[in-house]
Amino acid sequence: MHFSSPALLSALYLAGSTVEAAKFDGPDYESLPLDTIFPGPWESNIRAPFNKSYIAPVKIFHFEGAVSGGEAVLQDADTEGISWVISPGGLITFEFGENIAGKVCFEVEAVKNDPYLVLAYSESPFFTGRECDATGDAQARDLPLAFSINNTGTNCVGGGYTRGAFKYLTVFIPESDIPTEGGYLWHDGHSAPKREYISLQKHSWYNILGQKYLGWSSPSKNDTSKQPAVAISKLWVNCTAFPSNPNGRAYTGYFDSSSSMLNRVWYAGAWTLQLSTLDPTEGGSLIDFNRFFDHNNAPRGAWYSNYTISHGKTVTTDGAKRDRMVWPGDMTIAVPGIAVSTYDMLAVRNALDIIYERQYSDGSMPYAGPPMGAFGEFSDTYHLHTLIGTYEYILYSGDLDWLKPKWDAYLRALVISINKVDETGLLHVSSTNDWIRPGMTGHNVEASSILYEVLGNSIKLAKWIGKDTTSNGEDWSTTRARIRQGIHSLLYCEEDGLYADNMGRRGCTGPEKILPQDGNSWVLMSNVFTSNSIAYKVSENLRKRWIKYGAPAVEFPNVISPFASSFELLAHSAAGNNDAAVELIELMWGYMLDGPGMTNSTLLEGYRIDGYVHYPAYWSPARNSHAHGWAAGPTTVLMQGILGIKLLTPLGKTWEITPQLTKWLSYAQGGFATKLGKFEVSISLMHSLSTGRKVEALNITYPRGTEGLVKWGGRAQFRTEDMGTSFNVYRYLDILTATDEEWQMWSADDLQDFVKDDTWAKPLVEERPEGVVDWKALEENYMLAEQRFKPDSKSVQVGMGQMDDWHPDVVAVKPPKLPHVEEHLKSSAESSGSGIADYKKVLEKLEAENRERLRKERQRQDREKIFQENPRMREIFRILEMDGGAEKEVAKQLELSEDERAQLAELEYFSRILDEMVNSQEGKARERIGCPPKDAWTFPEGGKKVDEVRDEQRIGKVDL
């Protein structure tokens, strides 16, 4: 029986009433299996550790000074009886096998003179050293953690100091006290002890150069008997991520193919989602924003993770290092990825629960979960993402009992968005908030397309629990038809073959025309397009914009966004262009794994179009999250697009399987399980030993008691419950007769005759241009980001209800905050020790600082160019920095060539750079030279005293 009936598909989508009566043969997300349910060689790609409570480093990345025996603590080290010994001046950076998370522990063999270690964490190798990478915007890098060693035996960092993600751990003992984050409950006064050190002989600049280049002996130090030291036999991390399962490798899904890169990406996405799943009491890395509620007085640059962000024992969040919060937008990518890899649906449910619990009185959903939600933060798109997350949770979990009591809340939220669809047929957004991209204004294509998708999902949800599908007297299908008409008639740009961002300045004929990646992707994902030919054209036109390192988000200048690009992957698949989807995964996600500064194991939040790991949403490159759930799109796309497994009703009681191998693969296999059982697909190219004819073979397994449609090679077959639970066929790729067009059943002879097609060759990859950074636009975006967080900024007040920019006198503003919310804001600000007036001043200062940082970044780029042309110049600059700017003496000592002198002269600001180096890093320079500091590290990185700016609240993605 071969057919493809729209009526049948509609019936399959809406048939869900028998799910609750079905027998469960698959995993239970309330009590996940303790071992993988798909064992096989593909498990070698799993990045989760074998023992999450004991993760040891695998190598030494860097070391210097008074340190020995560091290899003793490495994984599988054969160093019985050897300890790692470290004393003042010693530093060692350990590298772990993958990006990990958790609490650092040491097994201490001996201590001397009350030692304390300083710990600095980094996800990227670019930010290793004496400072951490960053979780906030208050300064470029987080403070390192001072950790006192009080006893021999096991010593572990305090509970609040779970570092959400790091691959590199630097451990050192400073020769003098430095600014650190120290111990648990820093704000109660616990910090590293002050010590009196033996004064060292001062070294002149020529003494240093003599030691380096002429082999002069270093002056002997005074008696070191009073110096502290510690001997350590073991170092490990107790990973606290993915608390739902003690075995992080107990996957409920798998993927394998002829592309090792696709395999690695699928598992990197799964591991990223695991790292981003937390114990809810270890959330909230935006401690400056937390201050409104926990009233902490942590110093600038401090960090910890001890804010409770949801109920329960596990919750999915945006990212492992930061923000460690529930962001609904991220869930649209994360939820199906979790469902097909680890089935941790309990973490998803807890995330949704906290958003619904904080729903505003008017029906709007909060922009994010705690600590946000108290000040009326709202986003039209993230509001809708909550509803998408609801549908995806029900689809994979089958938890209709959870949905029924929440249906009224769901409806109130849906009506909020429906009411914004005006006579144009488009959703008129009332908030500029989205994924920090600029230009979320007016009658927006992304928001309208997401609403179209949500309405379709809502029709299915309503049918599954026996509810009505109308609002304001209009059926949701009618509202969908109006949106489809509005999007195509007003936003489709015929000459570009793409959709415009909105009707106004960013429209097809507007002066600032933008054809957004996110909006065009959502048009395809939601199936709001009017014809398959238009869908394929949009897909190909998105593909034409790719550059060397991925797909640029043109709506957010200078950015390659794995979030928007995950949508683009789903869009290519929806348009039937899975070739483009696989090509983009290998191009972009391959770079995200193996590019410079990456973790080789997890997927990052975003990066610049020139490939650098700086995500332009933030001024500090070190703040980028290298384990961000919204980047895990391939984990879903490879399962739904290539293997083609799509659930139509809860748990997969009905399903559709539409595999497509693409030109990039010779075989692919994989599957996942719901409570009903396993879904598994294998598709491969083979050829006949006897005739040489080539075929494509397909093997499908599905749970008993289910039914669905198999679509493959232009034909389809409906599989009923009485047809078994497996399906094995092949089809000829070279059609010779009419019979060859049919699917062929395997015979015993076929099994002997057909073998893997070893003549298949992967197509050549297209060369793509480099991305070029627009530095002016980069600076403007920093300023925009600052303005979004000013409580009474005119740009925010108007921008919250901004039209399409052609009629600025007409605005549609979100209803004002309720009195009790305003009072909460006022009281929280006052009790935190910083009033709103002070807060505004701080933000203005930060804005100025950000402009200055951008100027310095441009200078750094100039210097890097010189360093590339002449690597010796890097050493010259390093010595100049260390030695106080004595450029003439250094030039003489190093015998600079005329070309090198000319290169220095080309930098008009050269002497100013030297001054900045000395003034901003005096402590570091003196420490390197061996001189005692003047003021015990008065000047940390950035040239400002720690207490120079107090209560700087750089609030995350919030409109106050």
Side-chain angles (χ1 to χ4, degrees):
M1 181 169 56
H2 300 281
F3 52 83
S4 179
S5 165
L8 171 66
L9 287 176
S10 177
L12 287 174
Y13 269 112
L14 299 178
S17 59
T18 60
V19 169
E20 296 179 70
K23 179 176 175 56
F24 295 147
D25 293 328
D28 180 3
Y29 57 82
E30 298 273 5
S31 180
L32 291 169
L34 298 180
D35 202 359
T36 179
I37 63 175
F38 290 103
W42 41 81
E43 291 181 85
S44 63
N45 288 308
I46 296 177
R47 301 313 304 249
F50 285 94
N51 181 359
K52 64 180 288 188
S53 64
Y54 192 96
I55 307 173
V58 297
K59 69 166 94 170
I60 295 172
F61 182 76
H62 174 71
F63 69 94
E64 60 186 65
V67 60
S68 64
E71 64 276 5
V73 301
L74 298 181
Q75 178 179 299
D76 302 326
D78 184 14
T79 53
E80 186 68 28
I82 299 177
S83 293
W84 159 39
V85 179
I86 185 169
S87 56
L91 175 149
I92 187 166
T93 299
F94 295 102
E95 179 177 346
F96 291 82
E98 51 276 318
N99 206 5
I100 60 171
K103 298 179 175 69
V104 175
C105 296
F106 303 91
E107 188 68 24
V108 178
E109 297 297 320
V111 296
K112 176 184 173 184
N113 295 333
D114 300 322
Y116 77 91
L117 304 176
V118 180
L119 314 182
Y121 306 78
S122 179
E123 294 184 277
S124 168
F126 285 2
F127 308 113
T128 59
R130 288 176 169 81
E131 297 172 296
C132 302
D133 55 16
T135 57
D137 261 355
Q139 57 186 40
R141 308 279 284 273
D142 287 351
L143 293 175
L145 174 65
F147 180 53
S148 296
I149 303 295
N150 299 317
N151 320 301
T152 57
T154 300
N155 288 252
C156 297
V157 300
Y161 289 103
T162 294
R163 190 69 176 186
F166 61 98
K167 188 179 180 183
Y168 301 88
L169 173 67
T170 297
V171 183
F172 65 101
I173 298 182
E175 293 182 305
S176 59
D177 291 314
I178 64 172
T180 58
E181 171 71 313
Y184 190 45
L185 297 179
W186 207 109
H187 44 277
D188 281 352
H190 181 81
S191 61
K194 302 289 182 183
R195 272 195 290 282
E196 184 178 323
Y197 291 103
I198 303 300
S199 232
L200 301 181
Q201 180 179 343
K202 295 184 179 181
H203 299 183
S204 63
W205 68 269
Y206 53 85
N207 186 289
I208 294 292
L209 293 176
Q211 290 181 51
K212 181 173 181 64
Y213 294 105
L214 303 179
W216 294 355
S217 298
S218 175
S220 62
K221 297 183 179 181
N222 292 325
D223 179 24
T224 61
S225 62
K226 295 183 180 179
Q227 288 190 347
V230 59
I232 298 170
S233 60
K234 297 177 182 177
L235 180 160
W236 72 96
V237 174
N238 179 15
C239 181
T240 58
F242 54 98
S244 300
N245 198 327
N247 181 6
R249 301 174 66 85
Y251 279 22
T252 57
Y254 82 103
F255 179 81
D256 189 49
S257 74
S258 57
S259 168
S260 61
M261 180 57 72
L262 287 191
N263 303 339
R264 289 179 58 210
V265 167
W266 192 90
Y267 285 95
W271 177 230
T272 297
L273 293 168
Q274 286 178 279
L275 279 183
S276 303
T277 302
L278 320 176
D279 178 337
T281 64
E282 295 181 348
S285 68
L286 299 179
I287 64 174
D288 287 333
F289 187 70
N290 298 350
R291 185 175 293 120
F292 280 110
F293 311 101
D294 65 11
H295 312 304
N296 70 78
N297 60 356
R300 193 179 189 207
W303 65 272
Y304 46 81
S305 298
N306 67 349
Y307 199 96
T308 300
I309 58 172
S310 80
H311 306 296
K313 301 296 184 181
T314 180
V315 64
T316 182
T317 68
D318 63 328
K321 180 181 74 173
R322 48 142 291 270
D323 299 325
R324 297 176 71 81
M325 291 165 49
V326 176
W327 285 94
D330 305 57
M331 290 175 65
T332 294
I333 298 299
V335 174
I338 291 170
V340 302
S341 58
T342 62
Y343 205 50
D344 195 356
M345 304 311 290
L346 189 58
V348 175
R349 187 174 74 195
N350 289 336
L352 288 168
D353 276 341
I354 199 64
I355 297 295
Y356 275 95
E357 181 179 297
R358 296 199 161 208
Q359 184 176 20
Y360 302 135
S361 59
D362 67 352
S364 302
M365 293 295 188
Y367 192 16
M372 292 189 181
F375 301 154
E377 307 96 334
F378 177 75
S379 160
D380 282 287
T381 50
Y382 275 47
H383 167 89
L384 290 168
H385 283 302
T386 295
L387 305 186
I388 290 177
T390 300
Y391 171 77
E392 290 175 336
Y393 171 69
I394 296 301
L395 185 64
Y396 288 99
S397 73
D399 194 358
L400 295 174
D401 288 338
W402 175 88
L403 176 63
K404 291 171 184 176
K406 284 186 166 52
W407 187 247
D408 286 345
Y410 182 98
L411 282 183
R412 289 193 298 119
L414 181 61
V415 169
I416 286 288
S417 297
I418 289 176
N419 287 346
K420 294 180 181 181
V421 179
D422 57 23
E423 67 280 358
T424 65
L426 301 172
L427 189 154
H428 182 192
V429 300
S430 61
S431 170
T432 57
N433 287 331
D434 195 10
W435 52 278
I436 324 185
R437 59 92 113 187
M440 176 49 67
T441 61
H443 296 86
N444 181 265
V445 65
E446 180 200 13
S448 299
S449 299
I450 297 176
L451 177 56
Y452 184 88
E453 171 76 3
V454 166
L455 287 167
N457 293 343
S458 300
I459 291 171
K460 288 178 273 185
L461 290 172
K463 294 295 185 182
W464 294 341
I465 60 174
K467 299 293 184 179
D468 190 34
T469 60
T470 61
S471 296
N472 302 332
E474 181 176 83
D475 191 84
W476 298 338
S477 60
T478 302
T479 309
R480 292 186 90 212
R482 291 200 292 120
I483 293 173
R484 169 176 278 181
Q485 174 62 25
I487 288 176
H488 189 71
S489 63
L490 299 174
L491 298 179
Y492 183 64
C493 308
E494 188 73 41
E495 63 180 32
D496 300 292
L498 290 164
Y499 292 82
D501 206 22
N502 61 33
M503 289 170 51
R505 301 185 66 86
R506 297 162 72 91
C508 294
T509 59
E512 300 169 9
K513 180 168 70 173
I514 296 293
L515 309 172
Q517 181 189 22
D518 57 10
N520 278 277
S521 297
W522 268 104
V523 167
L524 302 190
M525 288 169 60
S526 65
N527 289 297
V528 74
F529 51 83
T530 55
S531 71
N532 291 336
S533 61
I534 287 180
Y536 196 84
K537 180 185 293 186
V538 169
S539 172
E540 278 297 296
N541 285 331
L542 286 172
R543 180 181 175 275
K544 290 176 183 177
R545 302 199 304 200
W546 297 349
I547 53 179
K548 183 175 182 179
Y549 302 113
V554 298
E555 63 272 30
F556 193 166
N558 302 302
V559 168
I560 292 179
S561 167
F563 183 48
S565 293
S566 287
F567 294 150
E568 182 172 331
L569 293 179
L570 290 163
H572 291 308
S573 185
N577 194 2
N578 281 299
D579 280 345
V582 172
E583 185 181 10
L584 182 56
I585 293 172
E586 293 207 328
L587 169 70
M588 179 171 164
W589 273 263
Y591 181 77
M592 289 165 62
L593 278 184
D594 294 338
M598 307 300 184
T599 69
N600 313 114
S601 56
T602 52
L603 306 174
L604 77 170
E605 182 179 14
Y607 53 103
R608 263 189 350 220
I609 58 174
D610 61 356
Y612 183 52
V613 294
H614 176 205
Y615 181 39
Y618 317 114
W619 63 267
S620 172
R623 194 185 180 201
N624 199 354
S625 166
H626 286 253
H628 224 69
W630 76 8
T635 303
T636 298
V637 171
L638 292 173
M639 197 65 70
Q640 292 184 356
I642 306 310
L643 300 179
I645 309 172
K646 298 176 183 176
L647 308 187
L648 303 184
T649 54
L651 295 176
K653 177 64 176 174
T654 57
W655 43 263
E656 178 182 305
I657 294 178
T658 313
Q660 187 178 59
L661 197 54
T662 79
K663 67 181 181 181
W664 302 103
L665 299 171
S666 63
Y667 82 87
Q669 67 183 95
F672 63 93
T674 71
K675 293 173 81 171
L676 289 181
K678 297 179 182 178
F679 294 86
E680 190 170 12
V681 170
S682 172
I683 182 170
S684 60
L685 298 179
M686 308 183 78
H687 75 274
S688 168
L689 293 174
S690 60
T691 67
R693 297 188 69 185
K694 295 187 178 184
V695 302
E696 190 174 71
L698 176 65
N699 302 302
I700 295 174
T701 301
Y702 46 88
R704 64 189 180 92
T706 69
E707 57 187 16
L709 191 66
V710 179
K711 299 168 68 176
W712 180 51
R715 307 185 72 79
Q717 184 182 106
F718 183 62
R719 304 289 297 178
T720 60
E721 295 184 27
D722 59 355
M723 297 174 70
T725 60
S726 63
F727 181 56
N728 306 295
V729 294
Y730 66 90
R731 65 186 183 95
Y732 286 106
L733 299 180
D734 51 342
I735 305 299
L736 302 179
T737 67
T739 306
D740 290 345
E741 296 180 358
E742 298 290 330
W743 294 346
Q744 311 296 315
M745 303 302 294
W746 289 96
S747 66
D749 290 340
D750 289 337
L751 293 175
Q752 297 294 322
D753 187 41
F754 286 103
V755 297
K756 178 182 176 181
D757 184 9
D758 53 11
T759 65
W760 178 84
K762 190 172 184 177
L764 295 177
V765 176
E766 181 178 338
E767 289 290 328
R768 299 193 177 276
E770 297 266 1
V772 179
V773 175
D774 181 342
W775 296 101
K776 182 176 182 294
L778 194 71
E779 182 174 9
E780 289 172 349
N781 188 69
Y782 293 158
M783 295 174 66
L784 172 65
E786 294 291 347
Q787 290 169 357
R788 295 173 69 237
F789 308 134
K790 291 186 178 181
D792 60 352
S793 165
K794 181 178 180 182
S795 64
V796 170
Q797 292 176 358
V798 175
M800 284 285 288
Q802 192 171 1
M803 287 284 288
D804 300 302
D805 286 341
W806 278 12
H807 305 286
D809 54 321
V810 182
V811 294
V813 181
K814 185 178 182 292
K817 304 179 186 71
L818 297 177
H820 74 275
V821 175
E822 295 283 5
E823 184 60 30
H824 192 132
L825 170 59
K826 182 178 179 182
S827 62
S828 297
E830 290 173 351
S831 61
S832 71
S834 174
I836 292 298
D838 292 337
Y839 177 45
K840 288 160 52 183
K841 291 178 182 177
V842 166
L843 288 176
E844 289 171 359
K845 186 171 185 178
L846 280 175
E847 184 176 302
E849 289 177 357
N850 285 346
R851 285 195 294 267
E852 177 64 13
R853 290 180 186 115
L854 180 62
R855 182 184 65 80
K856 290 183 178 180
E857 170 66 11
R858 288 173 175 166
Q859 293 175 356
R860 187 193 68 78
Q861 292 278 336
D862 290 342
R863 292 200 303 273
E864 285 297 322
K865 183 178 180 181
I866 290 179
F867 295 160
Q868 291 174 6
E869 294 172 353
N870 184 351
R872 208 165 79 97
M873 294 297 289
R874 188 183 299 275
E875 178 64 14
I876 294 170
F877 265 75
R878 190 190 71 78
I879 296 174
L880 287 171
E881 174 187 357
M882 177 180 68
D883 236 18
E887 60 268 29
K888 292 183 179 179
E889 290 84 351
V890 173
K892 181 178 179 181
Q893 183 71 33
L894 297 181
E895 298 181 356
L896 296 179
S897 67
E898 291 185 8
D899 288 343
E900 289 169 339
R901 293 175 187 273
Q903 284 181 316
L904 291 176
E906 286 177 4
L907 301 176
E908 297 177 357
Y909 52 83
F910 179 61
S911 61
R912 182 152 51 88
I913 290 175
L914 297 176
D915 290 340
E916 289 174 356
M917 287 176 176
V918 175
N919 293 336
S920 67
Q921 301 188 29
E922 183 175 31
K924 279 188 176 179
R926 289 179 175 278
E927 184 187 40
R928 290 183 187 175
I929 297 170
C931 299
K934 288 182 178 179
D935 195 18
W937 280 80
T938 300
F939 299 94
E941 184 79 10
K944 300 177 71 174
K945 295 182 181 180
V946 171
D947 59 354
E948 183 174 336
V949 178
R950 303 188 54 149
D951 289 325
E952 292 197 0
Q953 290 133 17
R954 170 80 168 132
I955 299 176
K957 308 162 186 173
V958 186
D959 279 322
L960 297 180

